[in-house]
Amino acid sequence: MTGTTYTHAPGFVAGDRPQIVTARFQYEDSYTLERALATDGYAGLRAALSRSATEVHDEVKAATVLGRGGAGFPAGTKWGLTPAGVWPRYLVVNGDESEPGTYKDRLLMERDPHQLIEGCLIACYAAGLSQCFLYIRGEMALAQERVAAALNEAYAAGYVGRNILGSDFSLDIVLHWGAGAYVVGEETALIESLEGNRGMPRLKPPFFPAAIGLYGKPTIVNNVETMANLPWLMRNGSAAYTAIGSATSPGTRMVAVSGHVKRPGVYEIINGTTTFRDLLYGEEFCGGIRDNNELKAFVPGGGSAPWFLPDQLDLPFEGRLIGAAGSMAGSGAVMVMDDTTDIPNAALTLTRFYAHESCGKCTPCREGGTWLMRILDRVVAGQGTHRDLDQLLEVGATICPGDFPHASSERLGLAAVPFPYKMTTICFVGPSAYTPVHSALTLFRDEFEAKLVKRTFIPVTAVSVSETEAAL
Amino acid sequence: MTTTESNEVEPAEVIVDPNAVSVTINGKQFTARKGDLIIKAAENAGAYIPHFCYHDRMSSVGMCRMCLVEVDTGRGPQLMPSCMFPVSPGMVVETESPASKAAQEGIIELLLANHPLDCPVCDKGGECPLQDQSFSHGPGESRYIEEKRHYEKPIAISELVLLDRERCILCDRCTRFADEVAGDALIQFTSRGNTTQVTTFPDEPFSSYFSGNTVQICPVGALTAKPYRFKARPWDLQEAESTCTTCSVGCRTAVQSSRDELLRYQGVDSDPVNWGWLCDKGRFSFEGVNSDDRLTTPLVRTANGHEPTSWNSANAAAVRMITDAIAAGGASSIAVLGGARGSNEDAFAWARLAHDVIGTPNVSAQLGDGLPVGVLGMNRATIDQASSAATIILLAPDLKEELPVLYLRLRDAAVKNRSRIIEFAPKATGLTRYAWRTVFYEPGTQADVVSATLAQPEIAAQLAKGEVVIVAGRANLAESSAGTTAALLALLAALPEAKVLPALRRGNVVGAISVGMRRGKSGLDSTGILNAAAAGKIECLILVGADPIADVPDADLARRALAGARRIIAVDTFITDSSRLADVVFPAAAYAEKAGTTTNIEGRVTTLAHKVTVTGTSRPDWMVAAELAQLLGTDLGFGSVLDVTAAIAAAVDGFEAVTAEALESAANGVLAGVGSFDAIATPTVALGDRNSYNFRLVVSRKLYDQAVGTTHSPSLAKLAPGGAVFVHPLDIARIGSAVGADVKVSTPKATIVLSLATDDSVQRGTAWVPFNQSGANVGELIDAAAAVTDVRIESL
Amino acid sequence: MSRLTEDNVRVAHEIISRYPRPRSATIPLLHLAQQQDGYVTNDAIRHIGELVGATSAEVLGTATFYEMFKFEPVGKYLVNICRTMSCALMGGEELMHHAEHRLGIKAGSTTPDGMFTLEHAECQAACTEAPTLQVNYRYRFRVTPETFDALIDDLAAGRLDSEIPAHGTVARIRQHIPAERGVGAVPPEDATNAPSWMTVAEAPK
């Protein structure tokens, strides 16, 4: 197996590929200002400051840096959506990484906080954002420490704060940290949380943060990895950036592959062209399914994404293609299930997650998510009935009316239903509780049926008492 | 879309209304107003969209998802929460399409999943939006077989309100109301997801003056009000629309009774006035009407004290007292105080009796705690004008305490950035948090402070930005009206275009004064009457719903006046400290026991409903006056209350349009014109030497006090905070006594003992005592003849 | 009595000063209170309300939304074992089963000696290293029954005191903006023009 791992960056696997955001990971002291400065640190900022803000913004637009948080919206375009003439504008950097399967932003914060800080500075300079809030997930103690230390160093060295590098660009970057709520990763909930409130999403529209965001002012919310791309982009230019990856998904992206593979890890892959087969079976990536088992299914883009089957292995990691195939690229998180996996139970671990993380604001998610979890729990425990399986789909239809996206399956003779779904909720947490249920039940209904209570004819003489009890 | 077959018909001229938005709702073309939410436009078009969290007096949150309907804005039909989106041109809305109905049925099923369905024992049953919409828009059955959520039922979240969290559907109405409307964010969602609940912080109850509104707007039976719990089934209630007269804002109410007993008041949404809200004092004051202590028969004083008597003998006694008084001292030896507690009709009849039948000019509807009546002759503002003015100047008592719903309206103006508030006050008020500038003054100096403030460029710039409305009233009962009057005149001299909204508090004080309960030519005002009575110059004092002993700030004066008046006639609903001293007491019909009209601070005249039978043999005040006039030889021609209403329209300046017919057709009443009043002369404020009396006294009212209506409403009586003397925390050291200790508070003429407390809303160098609370009577310290009151505070 | 100490009030004011609105500091201050007392007390909630200009009910509403805040004492070490998909696939449930037996307590409770509180956790963003756990938010990866036991032994013996502070402390390094370098919070109402480095003017709508 090729690929290099470092004990100081657990999970990260370097390979013989371009490294836009992970180049510094090879150094054990990659998080220090000293190391950053020795390896082009803040050179991207200098490059940016030597040009006008508009030119920097245009450069980012030309590179089509897709948002790495989940929705995949181009950052340069997002920056341009603020209403003209409305000031001040804020930047909120989303480091509340908590989508099941996702592990990348934490590494970027722990291993290279200066790259992140540099990216924030470039974004604020380009888009005219007056203050930056870096929201780190509450449970990430080390990331908070590393970013705090890096900010303290960067302030002292003149990279952040008043008149940065002697220019008239002045910016405070404020480290903010959460306290344990998945839904805060949703950008409007993130803003609510940053305002000191319960992290309950606001309805979009009308509250698109770019127009009405933090304190009611235009606010850009970008993911940590998105920011981390900017220093390289500024140093090397958009042409170099778009030379990597596909036309619609340029550059690289961080993808975490977890579950039943030989070498689970975080990989910086070429965006848009690397296929799932490469990722799961390639020697430089995961090297195949553990114990050489068969692949049963995989989640391509974080726990919220509908599941894929081996049928989809040759799809490249590209947002539009994955969407057409019935799922989403999401947050760059692949969770792999081999043929030993108890599918209903696997679905339960995700549905329970989303039910637990519902903020409680809107009815379908608050009541429907828990309801789904309770039914599924019963089914997994061997207490379900056929009615329960139908009920799961019926409750789901209240959360997501109409056709629900799923993958195609040759085995089942199913054609794909493309992403996205319709929803009766404010945000995607409610639908995400249903997604694993729908995927699992659509693609592996037989496994659910095998768990149902059997109330058919049971000859008394033929079974032992314990077996009868088990059946009931 | 409709297409005409040919172009034969040319519209002559199309006037395009820029505020009109053409939409299609359930297949029908409809013209909505620009900015209208879909849910509102649909309702206007006759298509009701079910909802729970949406309330048109609060911001939309789109939480319950009940109002999801299919909307097509050109990109195909999509389910959208109709409470969050305004109409846009060409929008196609389907409120009853299969997708809309499926969504609505799904939401109802989910809302009921954890609802206890304890409707048989729920007060809301029968008037419950959840029940009604489950019936009209629900699936009819539930597939939910899991265990429901359980919580302790119910828990008290305040003295007045109970919360059943099992019934709660988490619509955010009560919590939004508390935060957004009342500004008392004492209830909140806590926990998360499926275990989200509404709670208060431990030991910090939902003690908002407006808590009852949350009960009214709760779309389920989660919030119930103690005074109404288990008193009636909604279908047994009879209802009549009326106006609350607890204070002078004039909130519209629905008065509800069952078996001839008042059981509940609900707020009615009157757009220019209360927006559906009521304060708790107004909402729960029905308990006082139902009190067992109400007077039921006339009383006459005998050697054994008050004895019940017949109306005939009471009338005869009163007439004899009046004629004896005229014989002894002439008509002007008779004085009439009161009228502000009753209807316009009551006040008008008594004004006619006093001025025209008896012939005395000594009439006053105020009790030494108001402003010169000339304030009503100023360029009067409406509440709407005040709450949309660029600048609101407050020279008024704490509106949250005295005119609570006016406080809500002005607070709304400030928090929604329509208006900036410039407040002049001797101590911080409920609106201080929302004021753009608060200028504190030491009582007596307000005119100078106002002039100095107006001279500031920043203030002048603000005042030049647009309409200015001055809210004027008495912020301090421990000073004469002179300081405030002088300040008001100074404001008007600088801002001649400014409008004035009088902040006088008694329910119908504006109506009473307007229809004639004010002094005639060379007559005495209330303080003058009391002084004359105290000096033995009043042969007969008539109290029409007035209780000078409780309400006149100068307690000593009130006491001496009632002792000095040779004869006293009282018309009242209760035996009060004042009516106890009367020679004849007529039992008066109370609120909801009589019809008529009332006038609020703006001059808006609205109707009062006669909902329940009078208590005992009590009669409306106007009838008492008409009867006495008859016996004194003048037929006022008042056979019914409608006769009096008509007489007011015929006789009173500004009330020409206020006819019964006009009132019947006007949903929000009729705005009376401003009559003519004598202009106010600038008073002089003579501040004496303070000597060692080094705290200037501020006395003002709290919402709950020992007023007779409050003390007879058990739910409200216990909310009165009680008496104490409050100083600024930094002034405590110079008193040499600890917080909580009893201290002597004295003026040269009197000393009282109060417990010492601190409050940082009190300004340094001043001391504040709430008026008419339990404990020592602060009125003992107040001298009606002095411009201000200075006190000394010493440890015992 | 567990309002914030004088030292912590100073820290609180520094934190508050970074935000355009004091309310934004609510969560950081709740962490500060939890760091001080090990959990969030009612007195601390009241104090935070005073500091940020919110009612106690509002602070409570915010605090109870977030799982890291505890409202009663927990063990010195809060052990969170992940049970979301990737960890579940790799034996997270079995690890929890082992932990319950090793500590002798059910998930959601605390050992009688007050040392350990065991909780289920949702995704900890270390999915490739499943199964994972956190002790006071310090990670342990690819945990086996053996490494779990060794961890508990080390914690009990105080061998990890330098790495893992007692419950309540999350990050041990705080941001500090030096006065001479800081720009200051940018309140939403204060800036009406583009920042100085934006040279191309935008036409207001």
Side-chain angles (χ1 to χ4, degrees):
Chain A
M1 232 183 248
T2 57
T4 315
T5 58
Y6 310 108
T7 50
H8 56 262
F12 177 69
V13 185
D16 188 20
R17 294 181 299 278
Q19 285 180 287
I20 289 180
V21 295
T22 60
R24 225 168 264 142
F25 283 19
Q26 59 184 296
Y27 306 104
E28 196 175 342
D29 62 350
S30 60
Y31 52 87
T32 63
L33 180 62
E34 192 184 353
R35 175 61 67 189
L37 293 178
T39 50
D40 285 337
Y42 295 100
L45 173 65
R46 284 180 201 279
L49 292 181
S50 70
R51 302 163 72 181
S52 76
T54 313
E55 284 169 351
V56 176
H57 190 165
D58 288 345
E59 188 80 49
V60 176
K61 270 192 234 169
T64 322
V65 182
L66 301 184
R68 301 300 205 268
F73 195 76
T77 310
K78 198 177 206 178
W79 302 351
L81 295 179
T82 51
V86 183
W87 307 95
R89 300 168 185 172
Y90 300 107
L91 174 65
V92 178
V93 177
N94 189 345
D96 193 59
E97 181 175 62
S98 37
E99 176 72 15
T102 313
Y103 170 30
K104 62 185 181 72
D105 294 337
R106 182 166 69 80
L107 261 182
L108 290 168
M109 292 187 282
E110 289 178 0
R111 296 312 310 166
D112 200 348
H114 285 288
Q115 175 175 258
L116 170 61
I117 291 166
E118 190 181 355
C120 297
L121 293 165
I122 294 165
C124 290
Y125 178 73
L129 314 178
S130 299
Q131 196 173 1
C132 171
F133 299 92
L134 223 167
Y135 191 121
I136 303 181
R137 182 172 167 185
E139 293 96 330
M140 295 180 177
L142 182 61
Q144 292 164 24
E145 289 179 352
R146 290 272 166 85
V147 173
L151 278 170
N152 290 346
E153 283 181 309
Y155 265 100
Y159 293 105
V160 188
R162 227 178 277 170
N163 299 102
I164 293 165
L165 299 177
S167 70
D168 62 356
F169 174 46
S170 295
L171 183 82
D172 270 351
I173 297 178
V174 174
L175 170 60
H176 186 86
W177 59 110
Y182 161 78
V183 65
V184 165
E186 197 279 339
E187 60 180 0
T188 57
L190 189 74
I191 286 170
E192 284 285 346
S193 181
L194 185 50
E195 289 181 1
N197 303 326
R198 299 163 58 75
M200 305 200 290
R202 303 171 181 174
L203 204 65
K204 295 189 292 188
F207 300 110
F208 279 118
I212 305 169
L214 187 61
Y215 315 121
K217 290 292 177 179
T219 301
I220 302 299
V221 182
N222 274 149
N223 172 260
V224 163
E225 186 188 343
T226 314
M227 290 293 100
N229 270 275
L230 300 178
W232 190 98
L233 170 60
M234 279 300 111
R235 291 197 307 271
N236 298 284
S238 57
Y241 191 86
T242 52
I244 303 169
S246 75
T248 48
S249 297
T252 62
R253 74 175 293 170
M254 302 269 282
V255 174
V257 188
S258 60
H260 298 156
V261 288
K262 286 184 179 160
R263 184 169 61 193
V266 185
Y267 303 88
E268 180 167 5
I269 67 167
I270 309 274
N271 208 2
T273 58
T274 311
T275 66
F276 289 105
R277 190 179 299 281
D278 296 338
L279 259 180
L280 269 54
Y281 291 95
E283 281 305 311
E284 71 277 33
F285 296 107
C286 298
I289 307 302
R290 69 166 184 188
D291 305 332
N292 292 324
N293 289 345
E294 289 297 315
L295 172 66
K296 195 171 196 176
F298 61 100
V299 186
S304 302
W307 298 5
F308 274 172
L309 296 169
D311 304 50
Q312 281 77 40
L313 273 174
D314 291 314
L315 272 177
F317 207 98
E318 203 286 323
R320 293 174 202 195
L321 295 173
I322 293 175
S327 188
M328 61 174 189
S331 53
V334 181
M335 292 183 281
V336 180
M337 292 167 261
D338 70 10
D339 56 0
T340 68
T341 308
D342 177 343
I343 291 287
N345 193 39
L348 174 61
T349 66
L350 287 176
T351 295
R352 187 176 54 208
F353 174 88
Y354 292 104
H356 178 80
E357 296 296 344
S358 166
C359 78
K361 183 170 181 175
C362 64
T363 309
C365 176
R366 179 183 68 240
E367 307 293 343
T370 314
W371 192 359
L372 286 173
M373 181 191 76
R374 294 242 191 114
I375 300 171
L376 192 53
D377 208 20
R378 203 165 52 231
V379 171
V380 168
Q383 299 293 319
T385 63
H386 276 100
R387 178 77 202 107
D388 283 329
L389 301 189
D390 295 340
Q391 185 68 56
L392 284 168
L393 298 174
E394 289 167 15
V395 175
T398 301
I399 304 171
C400 298
D403 287 342
F404 196 87
H406 64 77
S408 64
S409 164
E410 211 177 293
R411 174 174 63 90
L412 299 168
L414 277 179
V417 172
F419 210 73
Y421 38 69
K422 290 179 176 161
M423 57 198 220
T424 58
T425 53
I426 294 173
C427 82
F428 53 82
V429 173
S432 296
Y434 179 50
T435 298
V437 175
H438 182 270
S439 284
L441 205 44
T442 304
L443 304 174
F444 301 97
R445 188 169 177 115
D446 50 337
E447 291 203 28
F448 287 84
E449 287 178 346
K451 285 183 181 283
L452 300 181
V453 171
K454 297 187 179 49
R455 294 193 195 280
T456 48
F457 174 67
I458 304 169
V460 175
T461 52
V463 292
S464 71
V465 172
S466 63
E467 272 173 306
T468 310
E469 277 176 356
L472 294 173
Chain B
M1 301 288 146
T2 51
T3 47
T4 45
E5 280 177 29
S6 68
N7 289 331
E8 280 173 350
V9 185
E10 282 275 325
E13 198 180 334
V14 180
I15 299 163
V16 181
D17 178 351
N19 286 317
V21 179
S22 179
V23 293
T24 306
I25 297 176
N26 295 348
K28 286 184 201 140
Q29 197 92 11
F30 179 74
T31 304
R33 307 300 297 168
K34 191 178 172 185
D36 272 358
L37 295 169
I38 296 169
I39 194 170
K40 186 104 181 166
E43 190 166 349
N44 292 341
Y48 176 80
I49 298 176
H51 59 271
F52 296 105
C53 66
Y54 168 75
H55 187 286
D56 65 1
R57 290 296 181 188
M58 298 194 288
S59 63
S60 291
V61 287
M63 283 173 70
C64 73
R65 317 305 281 176
M66 192 64 213
C67 72
L68 288 169
V69 291
E70 271 196 310
V71 179
D72 188 346
T73 53
R75 291 178 300 173
Q78 283 188 319
L79 282 174
M80 287 164 74
S82 56
C83 71
M84 293 296 290
F85 293 88
V87 289
S88 61
M91 186 179 256
V92 179
V93 180
E94 292 290 343
T95 69
E96 290 173 357
S97 66
S100 300
K101 286 181 89 83
Q104 291 160 2
E105 290 184 2
I107 300 298
I108 286 282
E109 183 179 24
L110 291 173
L111 286 172
L112 293 180
N114 278 297
H115 188 82
L117 296 170
D118 55 349
C119 309
V121 291
C122 178
D123 269 332
K124 201 80 171 187
E127 56 175 9
C128 173
L130 182 60
Q131 218 177 35
D132 295 346
Q133 294 180 132
S134 292
F135 185 77
S136 59
H137 293 83
E141 59 180 33
S142 174
R143 296 168 293 188
Y144 191 77
I145 56 166
E146 322 296 325
E147 175 88 9
K148 289 177 188 260
R149 280 192 295 261
H150 291 296
Y151 294 112
E152 184 189 341
K153 303 165 70 88
I155 53 171
I157 56 169
S158 76
E159 288 281 350
L160 294 170
V161 180
L162 285 90
L163 167 65
D164 183 325
R165 289 165 294 173
E166 292 186 344
R167 292 178 187 160
C168 176
I169 58 165
L170 302 166
C171 71
D172 196 27
R173 276 190 176 189
C174 59
T175 39
R176 236 180 315 157
F177 172 85
D179 179 29
E180 231 174 63
V181 180
D184 299 320
L186 299 168
I187 45 174
Q188 254 286 336
F189 283 142
T190 58
S191 193
R192 189 177 78 197
N194 198 42
T195 57
T196 306
Q197 31 185 307
V198 172
T199 43
T200 57
F201 188 71
D203 306 326
E204 288 183 23
F206 181 42
S207 55
S208 170
Y209 287 166
F210 307 97
S211 68
N213 294 295
T214 63
V215 176
Q216 185 175 341
I217 62 178
C218 180
V220 297
L223 293 169
T224 46
K226 261 190 211 170
Y228 174 73
R229 277 172 68 82
F230 308 126
K231 289 278 169 63
R233 304 305 299 179
W235 47 86
D236 288 333
L237 291 173
Q238 296 170 317
E239 172 177 302
E241 199 173 307
S242 189
T243 298
C244 179
T245 56
T246 308
C247 79
S248 54
V249 173
C251 301
R252 284 299 273 176
T253 58
V255 174
Q256 299 177 335
S257 66
S258 176
R259 285 166 298 172
D260 207 26
E261 185 185 356
L262 291 178
L263 288 178
R264 185 167 70 171
Y265 299 161
Q266 297 278 65
V268 170
D269 193 325
S270 172
D271 190 62
V273 185
N274 61 316
W275 292 3
W277 313 129
L278 297 179
C279 71
D280 287 354
K281 185 176 176 182
R283 182 179 298 270
F284 299 117
S285 61
F286 67 86
E287 289 183 341
V289 179
N290 296 338
S291 169
D292 290 341
D293 297 335
R294 284 281 306 282
L295 285 173
T296 55
T297 62
L299 304 173
V300 289
R301 177 171 302 287
T302 68
N304 303 324
H306 278 153
E307 298 229 336
T309 186
S310 69
W311 276 90
N312 278 345
S313 63
N315 277 334
V319 165
R320 195 163 50 243
M321 286 160 65
I322 291 168
T323 47
D324 287 355
I326 294 172
S332 63
S333 73
I334 295 178
V336 184
L337 280 177
R341 288 274 177 225
S343 64
N344 289 336
E345 289 71 15
D346 293 334
F348 183 71
W350 274 97
R352 289 287 312 277
L353 173 62
H355 289 297
D356 302 342
V357 179
I358 297 172
T360 176
N362 301 324
V363 178
S364 178
Q366 302 196 74
L367 289 169
D369 55 355
L371 288 176
V373 295
V375 74
L376 297 185
M378 292 169 175
N379 186 6
R380 185 101 50 89
T382 62
I383 294 172
D384 269 352
Q385 286 165 345
S387 65
S388 61
T391 311
I392 303 167
I393 298 179
L394 298 180
L395 184 69
D398 189 338
L399 299 178
K400 191 174 184 180
E401 306 290 344
E402 299 206 359
L403 303 169
V405 174
L406 179 62
Y407 157 82
L408 292 186
R409 292 291 312 270
L410 300 187
R411 178 188 176 276
D412 181 79
V415 297
K416 304 258 174 77
N417 292 321
R418 287 194 306 273
S419 310
R420 277 180 168 173
I421 294 175
I422 301 175
E423 180 184 45
F424 295 98
K427 106 182 239 302
T429 69
L431 279 169
T432 301
R433 286 169 69 184
Y434 308 105
W436 177 65
R437 294 288 184 273
T438 294
V439 185
F440 293 109
Y441 62 80
E442 189 169 72
T445 66
Q446 49 266 61
D448 295 341
V449 170
V450 162
S451 300
T453 306
L454 292 178
Q456 292 169 14
E458 186 191 41
I459 300 282
Q462 171 59 32
L463 293 170
K465 281 186 179 167
E467 285 265 316
V468 178
V469 169
I470 304 164
V471 182
R474 283 278 289 280
N476 178 16
L477 300 177
E479 62 176 281
S480 72
S481 65
T484 301
T485 305
L488 176 59
L489 294 175
L491 280 170
L492 286 170
L495 303 161
E497 302 293 312
K499 291 191 161 87
V500 177
L501 184 61
L504 304 175
R505 63 180 269 284
R506 277 187 201 90
N508 193 27
V509 61
V510 173
I513 294 171
S514 299
V515 301
M517 286 300 283
R518 60 182 196 254
R519 64 177 170 183
K521 212 167 159 51
S522 70
L524 300 169
D525 65 5
S526 57
T527 307
I529 290 169
L530 294 167
N531 277 322
K537 293 179 190 155
I538 297 297
E539 293 290 336
C540 182
L541 178 64
I542 305 177
L543 303 175
V544 185
D547 180 5
I549 300 241
D551 279 348
V552 170
D554 184 338
D556 181 53
L557 172 61
R559 232 179 359 245
R560 285 187 291 113
L562 269 73
R566 214 133 289 137
R567 304 168 185 82
I568 301 175
I569 299 170
V571 186
D572 216 324
T573 50
F574 288 97
I575 282 295
T576 65
D577 288 345
S578 302
S579 58
R580 183 170 290 118
L581 302 173
D583 301 288
V584 174
V585 184
F586 292 107
Y591 183 74
E593 292 178 342
K594 59 185 175 184
T597 60
T598 187
T599 310
N600 80 347
I601 45 175
E602 314 165 279
R604 184 177 306 280
V605 182
T606 51
T607 53
L608 297 169
H610 180 178
K611 188 69 206 70
V612 290
T613 310
V614 293
T615 299
T617 65
S618 57
R619 293 177 182 176
D621 298 0
W622 68 265
M623 208 182 274
V624 179
E627 183 95 16
L628 291 177
Q630 187 84 49
L631 295 170
L632 287 165
T634 305
D635 182 358
L636 295 176
F638 299 159
S640 76
V641 71
L642 288 173
D643 294 339
V644 193
T645 312
I648 295 172
V652 178
D653 217 9
F655 279 64
E656 300 80 0
V658 188
T659 60
E661 301 73 49
L663 287 165
E664 190 148 334
S665 58
N668 295 313
V670 177
L671 208 53
V674 173
S676 57
F677 294 85
D678 295 339
I680 307 173
T682 303
T684 49
V685 184
L687 300 178
D689 193 350
R690 300 179 65 157
N691 297 325
S692 63
Y693 296 93
N694 53 1
F695 284 95
R696 185 146 292 172
L697 187 62
V698 178
V699 172
S700 62
R701 296 176 193 271
K702 297 291 287 177
L703 183 65
Y704 303 115
D705 59 15
Q706 308 246 81
V708 67
T710 306
T711 50
H712 287 94
S713 299
S715 298
L716 301 177
K718 59 186 163 207
L719 301 176
V725 56
F726 294 83
V727 298
H728 189 276
L730 294 175
D731 277 349
I732 203 90
R734 53 185 189 118
I735 294 167
S737 198
V739 169
D742 281 346
V743 289
K744 282 196 291 184
V745 184
S746 35
T747 64
K749 90 175 187 183
T751 295
I752 60 171
V753 174
L754 285 166
S755 107
L756 181 63
T758 59
D759 184 338
D760 44 23
S761 73
V762 178
Q763 296 306 295
R764 295 202 66 182
T766 66
W768 173 65
V769 180
F771 190 66
N772 198 16
Q773 296 290 340
S774 60
N777 182 359
V778 68
E780 305 293 349
L781 303 178
I782 298 171
D783 180 353
V788 294
T789 310
D790 291 319
V791 297
R792 188 160 61 209
I793 305 175
E794 301 158 290
S795 50
L796 278 179
Chain C
M1 275 303 285
S2 29
R3 290 166 67 86
L4 295 180
T5 61
E6 261 178 54
D7 282 350
N8 280 335
V9 168
R10 266 193 293 279
V11 175
H13 282 301
E14 186 185 341
I15 293 172
I16 290 168
S17 73
R18 292 180 207 147
Y19 296 96
R21 295 266 191 271
R23 279 281 283 267
S24 284
T26 304
I27 290 173
L29 298 197
L30 285 162
H31 276 298
L32 186 63
Q34 184 150 289
Q35 177 168 336
Q36 176 181 297
D37 298 319
Y39 68 106
V40 179
T41 67
N42 280 349
D43 282 336
I45 287 178
R46 221 175 263 128
H47 196 179
I48 291 167
E50 292 163 21
L51 289 166
V52 304
T55 65
S56 309
E58 288 174 304
V59 178
L60 181 72
T62 295
T64 54
F65 189 85
Y66 300 93
E67 279 175 71
M68 289 175 75
F69 298 127
K70 310 296 176 191
F71 303 95
E72 49 190 62
V74 295
K76 181 178 179 192
Y77 297 113
L78 175 66
V79 180
N80 289 315
I81 298 180
C82 179
R83 64 166 167 182
T84 314
M85 187 179 227
S86 300
C87 286
L89 289 174
M90 300 303 285
E93 285 175 48
E94 292 77 3
L95 177 61
M96 176 55 94
H97 192 66
H98 173 79
E100 288 182 335
H101 281 87
R102 171 65 175 82
L103 294 173
I105 53 172
K106 291 294 285 178
S109 61
T110 303
T111 54
D113 61 0
M115 279 294 280
F116 298 100
T117 296
L118 185 62
E119 283 188 353
H120 282 293
E122 299 294 355
C123 187
Q124 297 177 330
C127 310
T128 66
E129 309 309 297
T132 68
L133 63 77
Q134 288 186 324
V135 180
N136 294 348
Y137 308 105
R138 267 72 186 170
Y139 284 95
R140 289 295 180 271
F141 301 130
R142 306 196 186 198
V143 185
T144 63
E146 294 71 36
T147 56
F148 181 84
D149 290 348
L151 171 68
I152 296 301
D153 291 341
D154 287 346
L155 287 167
R159 285 191 287 272
L160 293 171
D161 284 359
S162 62
E163 188 206 337
I164 303 180
H167 179 257
T169 299
V170 186
R172 287 161 300 181
I173 301 172
R174 285 192 180 280
Q175 181 182 14
H176 172 71
I177 301 179
E180 70 284 4
R181 289 288 312 139
V183 180
V186 182
E189 62 279 6
D190 281 14
T192 47
N193 294 314
S196 59
W197 68 88
M198 298 297 283
T199 44
V200 180
E202 279 176 6
K205 262 190 198 160

